[in-house]
Amino acid sequence: MDYSHILNKNHKIHKTINSINRKFDTEKYWINYNFEDNSPTNTHTFAGGDGSFNKINYVDFCLYSVGTVSYINKVGEKIEKSVSYWDTDIIIPYIYISNRLTLYMLNMELKSALWNFKNKDIDYYLLDGSLYSLIIKTHTYMGREEGSNEILYYYKKYGKEIRNKINEELDNGILAPTVSIDVKESEEDRIYHKIILEQIEYIVLLIEILKKYRDKIVGISKTSKMNIYFKEGYIPDMAIFSRVKTLGYSKPLNLADWKMVEINQGVYNNIKYLKKFGQDIDELYYQFVKLDRGEGVLNITSFKNLESEFFSNLNEISVGNYPYILKKSHEEVKIKDNDMTHCAKLLGLYSSRDRELFI
């Protein structure tokens, strides 16, 4: 790249940056709350986890590893390991690889949450990411355009069997990314329907959590591009709230409220999509919290209205504005390229890789 043109645009770029409107009325949404002076009245027990995947693309198949790790932390006590699970395999058919592996990882994260709800006495499970993003993934299809109708058809046909298989495996400590069920189809249809059933499994998992534990699951995210509070500015809400100096949290907005249609119809419709599967969402709260004066804000999503008691407890298990159980899980679950190379050697896989064809 020739960098000489950059100096000529220096003034123009800085002028454009300085012209951005950053004068938003955050005070009407912000609740000042000094966590340093307000210890929680009732202490909570949190669990939380994260997932990861990595892959090696060969010419006609993909070797992948996917993992999930979770920890538990009762306020005032030491952090302890909860559950972890790893799976390495090849993915066939060799299509939609990145999307399918993302779904595998999310399936394992949701199974980790379910396992903790079933086996541990916890008040809240923290997921790394946005609950709204989890809902979006329920209708991110791979394949034919009419996929949504097929998804509903196969959900009604196989959803119960998949749910029973998931619960059976969880009872045995198995958090594998996909369950195996017998579908009698032609070879051509079997390959496509395998992908459909992977999507069904994800929907089944999310609905299982919504039915039984929705008040106990909270999404924690360091990034967010949504602009719901200050939609007229076309700047992410997180960027605006990050400029707030005082500790505290924003008044929650219910993304599932019908009034949201006036603000962002797309967001509302996405949330209501699960009604097709008999699961309505009437509450999905979206807000921000600042726990540390020297840090920015976190995006919080939840299916119930969270108040100061929750945030006080969250502050007690956080370091540098972020829950330590999520930081610990993220560090441990990471699957590096070197790990994948080692897996390939252990399996004796010496086939040509995709990139080697173009060297």
Side-chain angles (χ1 to χ4, degrees):
M1 178 179 178
D2 182 1
Y3 296 100
S4 60
H5 72 286
I6 294 177
L7 293 177
N8 295 327
K9 299 199 72 172
N10 185 297
H11 176 72
K12 180 178 182 297
I13 289 173
H14 281 277
K15 184 178 180 181
T16 303
I17 292 173
N18 292 331
S19 70
I20 296 174
N21 177 22
R22 295 184 174 89
K23 296 179 181 179
F24 296 95
D25 185 10
T26 56
E27 291 187 5
K28 67 179 180 180
Y29 296 115
W30 194 254
I31 299 171
N32 294 320
Y33 194 86
N34 192 338
F35 300 106
E36 297 167 355
D37 297 335
N38 291 279
S39 299
T41 305
N42 299 308
T43 56
H44 297 336
T45 299
F46 293 92
D50 198 6
S52 176
F53 73 86
N54 204 341
K55 62 185 173 67
I56 296 177
N57 289 322
Y58 291 91
V59 177
D60 51 0
F61 65 90
C62 172
L63 172 69
Y64 72 87
S65 286
V66 60
T68 181
V69 173
S70 64
Y71 281 87
I72 289 180
N73 194 183
K74 180 176 174 61
V75 170
E77 298 183 7
K78 291 183 179 180
I79 185 173
E80 63 180 63
K81 186 77 165 286
S82 177
V83 67
S84 63
Y85 197 88
W86 308 87
D87 186 69
T88 298
D89 208 334
I90 61 171
I91 188 167
I92 296 175
Y94 192 32
I95 52 175
Y96 311 120
I97 298 299
S98 293
N99 287 339
R100 290 170 68 193
L101 289 178
T102 297
L103 209 60
Y104 287 9
M105 179 187 71
L106 292 174
N107 280 351
M108 286 180 65
E109 288 186 43
L110 292 180
K111 287 178 182 181
S112 179
L114 276 172
W115 187 93
N116 275 277
F117 285 133
K118 286 172 171 284
N119 294 280
K120 300 292 182 179
D121 184 16
I122 59 175
D123 297 295
Y124 293 98
Y125 189 89
L126 307 180
L127 271 176
D128 182 38
S130 165
L131 299 185
Y132 175 69
S133 294
L134 291 184
I135 294 171
I136 291 291
K137 289 289 191 300
T138 60
H139 52 288
T140 303
Y141 298 115
M142 297 161 284
R144 308 171 195 171
E145 291 183 2
E146 68 270 21
S148 60
N149 293 328
E150 287 185 314
I151 286 284
L152 185 57
Y153 169 78
Y154 277 91
Y155 176 83
K156 291 178 178 178
K157 188 172 183 179
Y158 297 108
K160 185 176 181 180
E161 183 180 353
I162 290 174
R163 183 179 296 107
N164 291 339
K165 192 69 178 289
I166 289 171
N167 286 321
E168 178 185 333
E169 291 190 350
L170 284 177
D171 289 342
N172 291 298
I174 300 172
L175 281 67
T178 60
V179 296
S180 176
I181 62 171
D182 185 26
V183 180
K184 296 179 180 178
E185 306 281 0
S186 67
E187 180 65 18
E188 181 181 353
D189 286 340
R190 185 184 66 80
I191 291 174
Y192 177 71
H193 293 149
K194 173 180 171 60
I195 298 173
I196 289 286
L197 292 174
E198 291 170 0
Q199 185 80 43
I200 296 296
E201 182 170 352
Y202 177 73
I203 293 173
V204 167
L205 281 165
L206 186 57
I207 288 178
E208 188 78 355
I209 288 175
L210 286 171
K211 282 182 176 180
K212 297 179 179 179
Y213 309 107
R214 71 168 62 192
D215 286 351
K216 291 188 170 188
I217 195 157
V218 178
I220 309 283
S221 180
K222 289 183 177 180
T223 61
S224 173
K225 298 300 182 184
M226 295 177 70
N227 57 332
I228 305 298
Y229 286 91
F230 309 101
K231 64 182 187 304
E232 68 280 358
Y234 301 102
I235 297 175
D237 297 323
M238 175 167 270
I240 296 170
F241 280 122
S242 290
R243 302 173 73 86
V244 174
K245 303 298 183 184
T246 58
L247 302 180
Y249 54 95
S250 66
K251 296 176 182 177
L253 298 182
N254 182 7
L255 301 181
D257 191 319
W258 66 270
K259 295 177 184 177
M260 184 55 58
V261 175
E262 301 175 11
I263 300 174
N264 193 316
Q265 185 170 356
V267 170
Y268 179 83
N269 290 341
N270 283 334
I271 293 170
K272 292 298 181 180
Y273 172 79
L274 283 178
K275 285 185 72 174
K276 289 185 175 184
F277 301 88
Q279 187 62 51
D280 196 11
I281 298 174
D282 294 321
E283 296 175 298
L284 176 56
Y285 292 101
Y286 161 85
Q287 62 191 132
F288 296 88
V289 63
K290 185 180 181 72
L291 302 172
D292 190 309
R293 295 184 189 279
E295 303 288 342
V297 294
L298 294 175
N299 178 218
I300 308 293
T301 43
S302 58
F303 294 111
K304 77 168 186 177
N305 193 355
L306 302 174
E307 298 179 345
S308 59
E309 186 70 9
F310 170 84
F311 291 117
S312 293
N313 273 273
L314 186 67
N315 179 62
E316 293 291 324
I317 65 160
S318 297
V319 178
N321 203 53
Y322 195 65
Y324 185 62
I325 53 178
L326 292 185
K327 177 177 170 54
K328 183 82 170 169
S329 298
H330 179 75
E331 291 173 348
E332 185 173 330
V333 80
K334 194 178 298 181
I335 303 170
K336 301 177 182 178
D337 290 343
N338 287 342
D339 297 324
M340 294 305 302
T341 300
H342 188 59
C343 287
K345 288 181 179 179
L346 289 174
L347 292 167
L349 297 178
Y350 302 106
S351 303
S352 297
R353 302 185 185 184
D354 272 355
R355 67 173 184 269
E356 293 171 353
L357 299 179
F358 302 99
I359 295 176

